[in-house]
């Protein structure tokens, strides 16, 4: 099974598993930036939820990845959330699903990075902005050009202590 | 153990505590229906979050109730969420905050009722629709006229076993 084999090799090489959250049914207006974020996250590890950035996945798609019913989507996503080492959420488009994943992620003590593009007449939820917790929950207001530095900084948290000098993301092992 | 004793007396006096969730910063278009829901919920117990239905509270309000900063809002809401017996969420307007509260509420094993008004071209998040769990998480598609029967049914879950025949909500004690 060449597909799974190669996926496993990637996971073994990169170590870290990242759960990426973005709006699906609340609106797909940011799907292109989700795609660029998922691509950047590939530098640090395996993204467990690449379907979130799939431009073919619309508000009305009958399935997400291989999950067909809402319960299958829910069960799969909660299982991936348990499995991940880090959660990265693009929170500019208000979405119940992203909020839910963040709430569950906080309860699981996951390390979480939220990314927000400030916009006139809009305001980020206090449930995100106020959840700030050193080393566990961070929200960054960003412009796209800031993302490489934001990610390098966030993923430093996952380097083993004896590897803090290393920025060779592809060869490190998560703590 | 006087602490537990007095807590029990308070609970008996005030009855059921309900945490109501609705969109604030993601949009206030449904604030009037939030107001009518909060009024209906008053039949069953004390609503811990009446400010969600306050028409003077806008996306840009500097404060919600007495909380002034986002961290104060977050800490207060998480404390009220711990305190409540039941969560009722109006989920028609996608909102990160409502999603977050639902995620935390599920992790706390709270009993949760979500209310959704189906609309053309819109679709409720799979993180809500797929979270259905008997006796713990229910989503109802509704029209406003359906609400009294939906609430009577949901709050039956909180009647003591020996009081299942009673619909005298104001005098019952939560399980
Ligand atoms: Ca939302």
């Amino acid at each position: 099974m060449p597909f799974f084999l190669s996926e496993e090799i990637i996971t073994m090489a990169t170590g870290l598993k990242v759960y990426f959250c973005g709006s699906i049914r609340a609106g797909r207006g940011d799907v292109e930036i989700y795609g660029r974020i998922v691509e950047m996250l590939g530098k640090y590890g395996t993204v467990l939820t690449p379907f979130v950035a799939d431009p073919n996945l619309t508000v009305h798609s009958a399935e997400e990845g291989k999950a067909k019913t809402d319960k299958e989507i829910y069960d799969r996503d909660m299982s991936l959330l348990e499995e991940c080492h880090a959660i990265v959420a693009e929170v500019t488009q208000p979405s119940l699903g992203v909020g839910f994943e963040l709430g569950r992620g906080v309860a699981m003590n996951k390390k979480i990075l939220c990314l927000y593009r400030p916009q006139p007449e809009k305001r980020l939820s206090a449930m995100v902005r106020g959840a700030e917790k050193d080393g566990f929950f961070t929200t960054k207001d960003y412009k796209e050009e800031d993302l490489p530095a934001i990610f390098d900084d966030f993923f430093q948290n996952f380097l083993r202590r004896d590897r803090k000098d290393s920025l060779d993301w592809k060869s490190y092992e998560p703590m």
Side-chain angles (χ1 to χ4, degrees), chain A:
Chain A
M1 303 213 297
F3 176 75
F4 291 104
L5 182 62
S6 70
E7 192 168 73
E8 180 146 22
I9 288 170
I10 291 164
T11 302
M12 283 169 55
T14 63
L16 201 77
K17 296 177 186 172
V18 182
Y19 189 105
F20 174 70
C21 314
S23 167
I24 298 175
R25 296 188 189 171
R28 296 295 278 164
D30 285 344
V31 69
E32 290 185 11
I33 198 163
Y34 299 164
R36 292 190 293 272
I37 288 172
V38 164
E39 197 180 327
M40 283 185 254
L41 292 174
K43 176 181 170 187
Y44 306 96
T46 302
V47 178
L48 301 179
T49 55
F51 46 84
V52 176
D54 179 352
N56 297 313
L57 178 59
T58 70
V59 172
H60 298 286
S61 291
E63 47 186 280
E64 299 176 12
K66 286 173 186 149
K68 289 192 168 30
T69 68
D70 286 351
K71 182 168 178 1
E72 282 172 14
I73 294 170
Y74 178 85
D75 289 345
R76 178 204 54 197
D77 288 359
M78 291 304 108
S79 166
L80 294 175
L81 201 61
E82 288 278 10
E83 185 183 343
C84 78
H85 300 100
I87 298 171
V88 175
E90 216 294 351
V91 295
T92 308
Q93 169 70 53
S95 144
L96 280 163
V98 173
F100 189 90
E101 290 161 329
L102 292 173
R104 295 297 297 271
V106 166
M108 293 174 192
N109 282 313
K110 301 290 182 182
K111 293 180 181 175
I112 299 173
L113 171 65
C114 295
L115 300 168
Y116 181 69
R117 302 194 313 286
Q119 304 190 292
E121 304 304 307
K122 304 270 181 178
R123 202 159 160 231
L124 179 61
S125 170
M127 292 305 101
V128 176
R129 190 74 79 183
E132 193 79 23
K133 188 179 166 195
D134 203 27
F136 281 90
F137 197 110
T138 311
T139 299
K140 296 284 186 190
D141 292 340
Y142 79 101
K143 293 191 284 288
E144 200 166 340
E145 67 216 54
D146 307 328
L147 286 176
I150 289 171
F151 289 143
D152 271 359
D153 185 53
F154 176 68
F155 286 105
Q156 286 276 359
N157 285 329
F158 296 91
L159 288 178
R160 291 160 48 126
R161 275 176 203 287
D162 58 335
R163 301 285 296 278
K164 281 282 186 205
D165 56 331
S166 168
L167 283 172
D168 175 15
W169 301 103
K170 278 297 180 199
S171 68
Y172 80 94
E173 299 140 41
M175 290 193 297

